Amino acid sequence: MAALIATTTLTATPHAARADGIEKPNDFFWPTRLSLAPLRMHDSESNPYGADFDYTRDFQKLDLEAVKADIRKILTQSQPWWPADYGTYAPFFVRMAWHAAGTYRAMDGRGGEEGAEQRFEQLNSWPDNASLDKARRLLWPIKKKYGRNLSWGDLMVLTGNVSLESMGFKTIGFAGGRPDDWESELIYWGPGTRFMTSNVDAQVKSSRVNAAGHLQKPLASTTKGLIYVNPEGPNGVPDPAESAKMIRLAFGRMAMDDEETVALIAGGHTFGKSHGAAPADKCVGAAPAGAPVEQQGLGWANHCVKGKLKATDAITSGLEGAWSADPIHFTSQYLDNLLGHDWVKTRSPAGAVQWKPKDAENIVPDASDPNKLHPLMMFTTDIALKTDPAYHAIIARWAQHPEQFADAFARAWFKLTHRDMGPKSRYFGSEVPAADFLWQDPLPAAQGAAVNKADIETLKHMIAGSGLSGREMIKTAWASAASFRTSDHRGGANGARIRLAPESNWAVNDPSELRKVLPRLEAIQKRFNAGDHQGRKVSLADVIVLAGNVGVEQAARKAGVTLDLPFAPGRVDATAAQTDKASFSLLELDADAFRNYYRSVPDEKSPTQMLVDRASNLELTVPEMTVLLGGLRVLDVNSGHSQQGVLTTHPGTLDNAFFVNLLDMSTRWQKSSARPGVYEGFDRESDKKRWSASSVDLIFGANAELRAVAEVYASDDGQKKFVNDFAKAWTKVMTLDRFDLRRD
């Protein structure tokens, strides 16, 4: 929700075990060493179900209604080891689903519900996620019952939906299909070694924190350890106006507009309560990652409890109270209370700044004792919705039209919990909404039957005679397909959005070249579709990918190798109306090492780090990344037709020259004195300049792990393997967004 958080300052100690006498890891000695760990996340060996496990296939065997019935039973079965507020876990489970989905950030597509990363560090031990470890333990009987058929990610979202429905709210649907991760996803969550620090803390004084004290892009949260914003106000200062700015910043980075933002905050704060009955620094123990082994992964133990545990003994945010007099039913009380009272600052029993009505009355039921009543409360972030003019207009309208509020919250909740799943083709289950939403990057239905093998050969012949060079065809296909990012399954060749704004104008794609290439490919598409092919039609998206294949096959023939790249038709062409320009612009690449493109951006990663980041988002392994980069270099497809890294005397030929020449010890490399970021290679004997390259080129000779792979391709017997491996990796990238093929 907007900010159900812990305001305690907890210390993350990833290097605590590095005391004297304990062996240090490599990054302790060489902190600037390039880590290839993100590329090994795609190794199926970490999945205990094995490489052949297909989660979506197993999920579809579920009786979804039976699962929901099991969840409904658990909601009211209060457990003595973690009693339910008001006799139901529904608000608690809504927070669990919210905080899992709410880590999504639109800038790089990372975070979100898919993978169920909330089970792992850092998220498992974030202050903002205090006690959500208990929520997942409460759900363990259901996960245990359904095993491989129900992932943690799907279970958490479904439980959130069932919980809302149990409190009288009507959701608009649920889609399954979120496979679980089996190791922490190595996502960058922010600088420093402490959570919930202010901007004056020396530990967060880095390039990743701006002058206002909030985290820089691509991070969505404004503070390390928070899902969104500090509920007490920026850096704990109870300033509603500044809070409104931070809310708009954080939710905007999740691709939520003002109405969606207000709907999510108001809808979430309709339910449940915050927990701050006692000071966390005195009563609350370590987070799960720091808890002793006998606690079995449960953190935040309350050491101040004497006797039987009660619901009010939970301490999470340090703030205390509820926003509504009926916190377990969907009402418009939150809106009415926020607008209907004058609010004044006060403090919770834990000492956190919160707000109470000036005319406060005890009208809120106690979470444990129905005979006790408490006053309403609000966070500073709630008051911000009342004081900000744009937000105020929304809540005032919804207070008059609660049905609009319910509809807005239903849509925003569905977007929140499904945003990271990608297109609708990845949705499964009996409750998938029929409606299409623009944020799903919708695609139209195919205009005819798919082309057959004979048609493909005809199209390849037409493409070969188009007058386009192999370089132009390969480069366009790569630009189209390699826009994909697996983090939220957006981008890719399907839809041919490379011909539409904003993608057609991205600098990395060399727009002037696209304006030459795309019309010729469109002409081929139209000419083929105008012919008599018994209703079979081809999309421009298919023609673009097929043209890339033609270019690669031609380049292989120049090297004396015959290739027949596999091609699966079935892509379609999206329209401008199906493309959210503002949201899609976030996919623009600041770097594509495969085209030796790097746009210097303040506070961004190094070019070599961004190489690994881009390769990871293309689901590449270390060898696949290596062979693709070396192959694309000799194919001469650099952005801007740069010659950096084109380590070959016969560009356009698909051979292993890049690796042979990179590892040639007769070349001496040095930084260019005239061009920053450029390296020049000289013949050691004659001192004649041979090559120019970037750091992402030289890293394949400098990094020991990458050099080991490069040596395979540079060997005298490596040429055939190089071409075959390049062909496989190329085809993989061309079909990353073909989710229909992955299910075949």
Side-chain angles (χ1 to χ4, degrees), residues 343-546:
W343 295 87
V344 295
K345 281 180 285 188
T346 185
R347 287 190 179 271
S348 74
V353 177
Q354 57 188 58
W355 300 67
K356 67 178 181 179
K358 191 173 183 180
D359 54 347
E361 297 180 21
N362 292 338
I363 61 173
V364 178
D366 186 82
S368 299
D369 185 349
N371 296 315
K372 290 183 180 180
L373 294 175
H374 305 277
L376 295 165
M377 72 91 215
M378 292 282 169
F379 297 161
T380 300
T381 46
D382 297 309
I383 304 302
L385 300 187
K386 183 177 181 177
T387 57
D388 180 86
Y391 289 155
H392 184 278
I394 295 169
I395 60 174
R397 171 163 48 87
W398 286 347
Q400 296 297 315
H401 302 280
E403 74 284 354
Q404 294 181 14
F405 168 46
D407 179 69
F409 180 45
R411 291 174 178 272
W413 174 262
F414 184 80
K415 180 178 179 179
L416 173 75
T417 53
H418 292 77
R419 185 70 174 85
D420 64 325
M421 287 189 71
K424 196 173 177 180
S425 60
R426 299 189 71 251
Y427 289 12
F428 296 93
S430 57
E431 297 188 0
V432 175
D436 290 325
F437 302 102
L438 193 59
W439 52 264
Q440 294 171 325
D441 299 331
L443 293 170
Q447 296 302 303
V451 294
N452 60 25
K453 189 173 182 178
D455 296 332
I456 292 170
E457 290 304 314
T458 298
L459 284 163
K460 290 173 72 172
H461 181 75
M462 295 168 70
I463 292 167
S466 66
L468 294 172
S469 68
R471 174 184 175 276
E472 291 169 328
M473 293 187 290
I474 294 167
K475 186 175 179 181
T476 302
W478 179 267
S480 182
S483 62
F484 180 82
R485 63 187 196 189
T486 195
S487 53
D488 58 358
H489 313 285
R490 301 186 70 197
N494 202 1
R497 285 189 168 90
I498 194 170
R499 78 196 195 286
L500 303 173
E503 189 173 349
S504 60
N505 298 317
W506 292 349
V508 65
N509 291 339
D510 289 330
S512 60
E513 290 188 21
L514 286 181
R515 287 191 285 272
K516 171 191 173 184
V517 176
L518 290 177
R520 295 198 189 185
L521 297 181
E522 286 175 341
I524 291 171
Q525 177 208 13
K526 292 177 180 177
R527 184 151 49 98
F528 178 88
N529 287 345
D532 183 11
H533 301 287
Q534 299 180 327
R536 297 188 299 277
K537 303 290 183 181
V538 69
S539 65
L540 179 61
D542 271 346
V543 173
I544 290 171
V545 172
L546 191 57

Side-chain angles (χ1 to χ4, degrees), residues 36-372:
L36 303 179
L39 303 182
R40 298 189 170 109
M41 286 163 30
H42 309 296
D43 189 344
S44 62
E45 291 183 3
S46 63
N47 187 335
Y49 290 125
D52 296 331
F53 175 59
D54 182 347
Y55 171 64
T56 57
R57 177 190 61 208
D58 285 1
F59 172 81
Q60 293 177 83
K61 299 175 184 177
L62 278 177
D63 180 342
L64 206 57
E65 280 304 316
V67 179
K68 293 177 69 174
D70 288 339
I71 294 172
R72 283 191 288 268
K73 291 177 185 176
I74 280 184
L75 290 181
T76 54
Q77 293 177 351
S78 184
Q79 301 296 320
W81 55 270
W82 195 255
D85 289 344
Y86 313 110
T88 176
Y89 291 116
F92 188 35
F93 287 153
V94 170
R95 176 174 169 248
M96 172 195 65
W98 187 303
H99 280 219
T103 57
Y104 173 81
R105 57 204 199 201
M107 290 298 300
D108 63 2
R110 291 190 165 89
E113 191 83 58
E114 186 169 310
E117 284 285 318
Q118 192 186 83
R119 299 171 297 153
F120 306 132
E121 292 357 292
Q122 295 177 11
L123 299 185
N124 180 42
S125 295
W126 267 16
D128 211 354
N129 287 336
S131 295
L132 291 181
D133 51 347
K134 286 83 170 178
R136 298 190 301 275
R137 294 297 176 89
L138 289 165
L139 286 177
W140 167 240
I142 295 178
K143 180 68 178 83
K144 179 177 181 290
K145 178 178 179 178
Y146 294 102
R148 63 189 289 152
N149 297 105
L150 182 60
S151 69
W152 271 109
D154 280 344
L155 175 57
M156 286 193 283
V157 173
L158 184 60
T159 300
N161 271 25
V162 172
S163 297
L164 288 170
E165 291 163 358
S166 77
M167 295 185 289
F169 181 73
K170 183 175 176 58
T171 64
I172 64 173
F174 164 79
R178 302 167 183 83
D180 281 337
D181 290 335
W182 298 100
E183 56 184 311
S184 185
E185 200 184 328
L186 300 174
I187 294 177
Y188 175 76
W189 294 113
T193 60
R194 291 173 69 85
F195 297 118
M196 298 293 295
T197 49
S198 71
N199 63 312
V200 298
D201 193 303
Q203 293 193 76
V204 295
K205 279 186 176 297
S206 77
S207 61
R208 286 285 179 173
V209 180
N210 70 6
H214 56 260
L215 300 179
Q216 297 277 36
K217 297 178 181 178
L219 303 167
S221 169
T222 57
T223 305
K224 186 179 180 71
L226 288 180
I227 301 298
Y228 300 126
V229 297
N230 191 324
E232 295 183 76
N235 296 319
V237 178
D239 185 332
E242 288 302 310
S243 286
K245 293 178 183 178
M246 293 299 99
I247 291 169
R248 192 165 277 116
L249 171 75
F251 279 79
R253 288 183 179 180
M254 292 180 56
M256 297 289 181
D257 62 24
D258 276 3
E259 289 218 359
E260 291 166 332
T261 299
V262 176
L264 287 170
I265 296 174
H269 289 183
T270 294
F271 308 108
K273 68 181 293 289
S274 60
H275 299 80
D281 58 348
K282 295 181 180 178
C283 295
V284 179
V293 67
E294 62 268 23
Q295 290 182 206
Q296 288 291 278
L298 290 182
W300 300 290
N302 189 336
H303 304 306
C304 296
V305 173
K306 306 297 182 184
K308 187 178 179 181
L309 193 69
K310 303 187 298 294
T312 50
D313 292 325
I315 301 175
T316 54
S317 67
L319 297 136
E320 173 63 27
W323 302 264
S324 162
D326 187 6
I328 58 172
H329 291 97
F330 181 70
T331 68
S332 61
Q333 284 189 30
Y334 172 85
L335 304 174
D336 299 334
N337 292 335
L338 184 59
L339 294 171
H341 293 280
D342 291 327
W343 295 87
V344 295
K345 281 180 285 188
T346 185
R347 287 190 179 271
S348 74
V353 177
Q354 57 188 58
W355 300 67
K356 67 178 181 179
K358 191 173 183 180
D359 54 347
E361 297 180 21
N362 292 338
I363 61 173
V364 178
D366 186 82
S368 299
D369 185 349
N371 296 315
K372 290 183 180 180

Side-chain angles (χ1 to χ4, degrees), residues 566-603:
F567 175 77
R571 298 170 183 84
V572 294
D573 299 330
T575 65
Q578 292 171 316
T579 304
D580 182 346
K581 291 183 180 180
S583 175
F584 211 80
S585 67
L586 299 177
L587 273 68
E588 182 176 4
L589 303 178
D590 290 326
D592 183 2
F594 297 97
R595 286 176 279 180
N596 231 334
Y597 174 83
Y598 180 77
R599 182 176 63 182
S600 179
V601 178
D603 309 313

